[in-house]
Structure formats: structure tokens, C-alpha cells
Amino acid sequence: MPSYQAPLRDFRFVMDEILDYPRHYAQLPQADEVTPDVVSAILEEGARFTREVLLPLNRTGDEQGCRLEGGEVLTPSGFKEAYAQYVEGGWPSLSGDTAYHGQGLPTSLGMMLSEMVCSTNLAWGMYPGLSQGAADALRHHGSDEQKAQYLTKLNDGTWTGSMCLTEPQCGTDLGLIKTRARPDEAGGYLITGTKIFISAGEHDLAENIVHLVLAKLPDAPEGTKGISLFVVPKYLPDAEGEAGERNAVSCGALEHKMGIHGNATCVMNFDGARGYLVGEPHKGLACMFTMMNVARIGVGIQGLGLMEVSFQNALAYARDRLQMRALSGAREADKPADPIISHPDVRRMLLTQKAFAEGGRMLVLYAAQLADSVECATDAAEREAAETELGLLTPIVKAFLTEVGFEATNEGVQVFGGHGYIREWGMEQYVRDARITRLYEGTTGIQALDLLGRKVLMSQGEALKPFTKQIHKFCKAHEANDAMAEFVMPLAKLNVEWGDLTMAVGMKAMQDREEVGAASVDYLMYSGYVTLAFFWARAAQAAHQALASNPDDAAFYRAKLETARFYYQRLLPRTRAHAEMIRAGSETLMAMQAEDFGLGFAI
Ligand SMILES: Cc1cc2nc3c(=O)[nH]c(=O)nc-3n(C[C@H](O)[C@H](O)[C@H](O)COP(=O)(O)OP(=O)(O)OC[C@H]3O[C@@H](n4cnc5c(N)ncnc54)[C@H](O)[C@@H]3O)c2cc1C
């Protein structure tokens, strides 16, 4: 069975030596509660809970999957007990609103815990994960009555949430939704329709499930402008606010799928289920975006968590497994062969995993600070700036970290050779689990359109500027430092090219809109590589600084420096290919008619 140690040393490095979390937390309204000691205690306890409680259930959850019996979904053995411990430990309320039984701690702390949960048991983690987004959507858009009814229960974990968007004919294009909501005499609505692929739509972990459902009112305009959001509980709250009468919502079937077997992916039938409008009529998509944005960052963290655990296990195996001698002569002459970590290609794979996981952690913890500011900044300008930057980085966190997450978990299998492909070692599960992260919460293609089309080009490039300015400032500050030249020079060049490529696509798009779609995924990947290069340069600079003071754990900092070098020399050159492909434009993609692609061949 795979093992896992939460990367607490690396958390500390990123928090203390790169992103200055102590100062960040000291500026928040919760400053008194997030002292360094409290943060350490939470992270250590989170590490213990995830390793001792969740990790042992990961394999059994994968093997048993969920079962649908008499309309009830039974989760794999141990999941329910683990959830009870999670609730008892107060984890669901960590960053919840204090007015509704939340602990009010910063969002960023929840994100750190989330990485550990995703490393140890992604399928289990999706049950409480969706509650967080549901609570956020209700907190921002719900009426006072809805907040009182649902937030306390979601925050204390007695109820969980689900997000019901997808229908058979409608995935990416929510304008095609058929689920209907018609007003009933009691002042609510009756919801009728079928939703598919609903994660945690039904399960046995909690007393009640709060579904947030997109549906159309009778007078709804066509397309995405006519979508409204409803809260539809599995059990209607009674006069005391407890789970009361059963609502007409049920799970019709469970999907059989490639990975995350322990999480119930449900077909949900709403048969005139009682629902309540959240926010204004026809404005539901904007409300749902509150939930989706939280969930998108959450999915990026899933990619991160999986690469970290895959790396840890691949590393342990590579140190242990003996095969062949090193090309330059025996490394461990007393043994029949050298450990495979002696071979350059195995090192390439391990370093790829390490560079993406540790680079991803810096990016996520940076985004987490922005999320704290969006949530708590008292200064309106500061909050708006944080919101814009987080908006820019969200598709990168979601899509880049899941694309490289899938690559990194795949490399984890490769390090194990044939032993990675068989089930015994658990490495293939990470690849299967990671595969979904590139799809749900908006595919990579859709995230890429969001980044290039909606965020960057629609703002005439303005949304990109604050981030590229930061990179420019960093490069300027370190340009005279010879030790940093290997990072600063390429980074400064790429930063300029990022702007040039944006401009080039923007110009072409004025003639032909297809240019945006043709460039978008390469643009997203390019942006992801440059973003991580910025954080690796910062890590290198922090490592240089620490090494100059002769720290006790010099090996940690030397490894940081070498990983930064690996990233710059062996991963960052991928930007060349992406830049070429961005420049190649849409012509070859759009030249053929759909019927000429080949399916029409006579046999
Ligand atoms: C395990 C699992 C769990 C899920 N959980 C949930 C959940 O909890 N709640 C929920 O509501 N949904 C959930 N989903 C649904 C998921 O979000 C959708 O599958 C996803 O959004 C893609 O929609 P689709 O499958 O209909 O693909 P489609 O929208 O049909 O897309 C097919 C392909 O076409 C591409 N494409 C589509 N439109 C465009 C475009 N304009 N430009 C470029 N490319 C385009 C896509 O990128 C994709 O590659 C889940 C799905 C799975 C498999």
C-alpha cells in the first residue's frame, strides 16, 4: 500500500521563506487566531488525520466502490466512520462563517488541508469538498432564511452539499439545460428534470444533502441568460431546522467509471422536488460561479495532491529497487545491482514529479493568499485587485496543475516499471483518479478559453498585467545577482514573450475569432510554465539566501536549487513548442470540413 508523509517542511518553506505567510496572516481580521503556533498545530493534526484515517481507506474505497441499494447509496467500508471523525475534529467548519458555527479561519488553511486530503484519499475528500462550495454560494447569494437553514449544518458537517449542473444533453454548454422550475402555491418551486454525473449526489455519510440545482423558470429567456439557481434539500428542514420530510429527489443510478470509485457519481432525478430560489431569477449562473470558482481551485489542488503522493512513493521505490549498474560504474558495489535512482532517466521522471508538485504548491499557496484577501480585505481596491489576479490564476491552477498532475502520476507508474501497472503497489490508481481532474469543473479546453478569451483578451490584456509586472519587478530586483542569472534571464525573456504572444493572438482574433480557440490550450500551458518558472525562481532565491547563512538543513535548500535548475533546463523549454503552436494559428485546424476527417471512408 502506498505511504504518505504530509510535506510539512515544504509547506513551511513556501509559507515562511517565499510568501511571507506570517505577515499575510497578521494583516487579516483573524490575526489573533492564526498565530504561527496555531497554524502549525492545524497542519500537524491535519497530517495525522489524513495519514492515519484517510490513507488506509484509499485502496479499499477504490476496490469496493459505491453501491446503490433500494435507492440508498452505500459508500465503501470505513468512509462513514472517517467522515464522523472528520466532523468530530471540527474540520468542516475550519474556514466557515463564524455567524453560522464556522471557525472563521482563513480560506488558505482549508486549502492546505485539502492538499493532504487529496493525497491520501481523493474520492473520500470529494464528499466534504462539495459542501464548502455549496456553503460559499449560499453565503454570498442566499437569503438570510436560507443561510440560517443551511449554513450551520453545512459548516458543522451534519449535512453535505452537491452541485447539480450537468444533464445528458448539456455539459459544457449550460444554456441547453432542460430541468424546469415552476412556482408552487407555498412560495417555493417544484423542480423537475434529470441531472447526471453528480458527485456526492447521494451517500450515507451525512444526515441530509443540500443540492444546488440549475434550472429554468417558465418565463426564462433562451440560453445561459435564463438559468436560475435553487437549493433543493434531500430532506426538507422541519420547524426545528432538522432534516424533516423526504423531498422528491432521488438517485436513479450510479456511474461506473475509470477512477475515484469511492465517490458516488450519481444520476439524480428531481420529480417535482421542492426547491427555493437562490439569488435573483435568471441570474443563477453567476451565483453558481461562486461555487464553481471554489471548486476549480479545489480541482487544481487535487492534481497537486496526487502528484505529491505519487512522487513520494516513486522516490521510495527508486531508492530501493535494484536494476543494472550506473553507466559510470557501480554505485553500490556490495549489492547485486544499483538502485534505479542512479539512472539519469529515472531521475528525470522523479524530478519532473518533484518540480511540478513543489512548484504547484507554491502556486496554490499564492492563490490561497489571494483567496484570503478576496474574502477579508477591508480595502476595496485591494480586494478588487486580489479578485482580478485570482480570476487570472484560477484556470491556470485548475487546468495546468491537472494536466501536469496527470503526467506526473503517469511518470510515477513508469518509475515502478511493470510493478506500477499492476494494482498491488497502488500507483495505477493515482493515474485513474487523476484522469477526471482534467475533465470536471470545466475541461482543460474550457479553462483555456476562460483564460485567454474571457480573462485576458476581453480585458485587452489588463488582467494579465499585474502578474507580469510582478515578474518584471522580481527580475529587475535580482538582475545584478550573478547567482540568479540562470533564472532571471530566461524568466525576463519569457515574461516579455508572454505579452507579445497575447498581443499577437489578440490581433489575429480581430480578423478571425477561431484564432482564440486555436491558440487557447497552448496559451494556457505556456502561461502555466511561465507562472511556475516565476515561483521556482523565487524558491531558488530563497534557497541561495538560506544557504548563505549555513542552515542546519542545507540539503533541503540544495535540493530546492537543483530542482529549480531542473525545472528551467528540462521543463521550461516546453514553452518553445507551445509558443510555436500558438503562432501557428487556426488555419490547419479549420481547413478540413467535418465530413473529410475520415469517418466517411468506404470499407
Ligand atoms: C466523475 C465525474 C464527476 C462529475 N461531477 C459533477 C458534479 O458534481 N456536478 C455536475 O454538474 N457535473 C459533474 N460532472 C460533469 C462534468 O463537469 C462534465 O463532464 C464536464 O463539464 C464536461 O461536460 P461533458 O462531459 O458533457 O462534455 P462536453 O461538454 O460534451 O465536451 C466534450 C468535449 O468537447 C469540448 N468542448 C465543448 N465545447 C467546447 C468549446 N466551446 N470549445 C472547445 N471545446 C469544447 C470539451 O472540452 C470536451 O473535450 C462530473 C463528471 C464526471 C465524469
Side-chain angles (χ1 to χ4, degrees), residues 51 63 121 173 218 221 241 251 281 323 376 393 409 412 457 470 493 546:
R51 189 182 62 249
E63 284 172 352
N121 200 327
D173 188 352
C251 173
Q323 289 295 299
C376 306
L393 292 179
T409 52
L457 294 181
Q470 265 197 74
K493 252 168 103 174

Side-chain angles (χ1 to χ4, degrees), residues 25 28-35 38-39 42 90-91 93-98 102-111 132 139 372 375-376:
Y25 279 156
L28 296 181
Q30 310 96 319
D32 291 348
E33 282 113 88
V34 273
T35 60
V38 168
V39 173
I42 290 173
W91 295 109
S93 61
L94 200 67
S95 32
D97 191 337
T98 47
Q103 296 175 54
L105 291 169
T107 307
S108 51
L109 266 178
M111 291 184 177
Q132 171 78 50
R139 189 158 56 90
D372 286 344
E375 201 57 54
C376 306

Side-chain angles (χ1 to χ4, degrees), residues 145-159:
E145 192 188 349
Q146 287 168 346
K147 288 182 200 173
Q149 256 169 349
Y150 300 107
L151 278 187
T152 307
K153 297 288 191 186
L154 286 169
N155 280 340
D156 70 16
T158 33
W159 297 1

Side-chain angles (χ1 to χ4, degrees), residues 101-119:
H101 283 199
Q103 296 175 54
L105 291 169
T107 307
S108 51
L109 266 178
M111 291 184 177
M112 292 173 211
L113 174 73
S114 182
E115 185 199 314
M116 301 180 208
V117 171
C118 294
S119 283

Side-chain angles (χ1 to χ4, degrees), residues 163 165-166 171-172 197-199 265 436 439-441 443 446 449:
M163 186 168 95
L165 289 75
T166 307
T172 301
F197 297 166
I198 305 307
S199 301
T265 306
I436 185 60
L439 288 164
Y440 57 22
E441 280 315 321
T443 59
I446 296 309
L449 282 177

Side-chain angles (χ1 to χ4, degrees), residues 397-409:
V397 170
K398 197 284 175 184
F400 184 75
L401 292 188
T402 58
E403 288 292 324
V404 300
F406 183 64
E407 178 187 342
T409 52

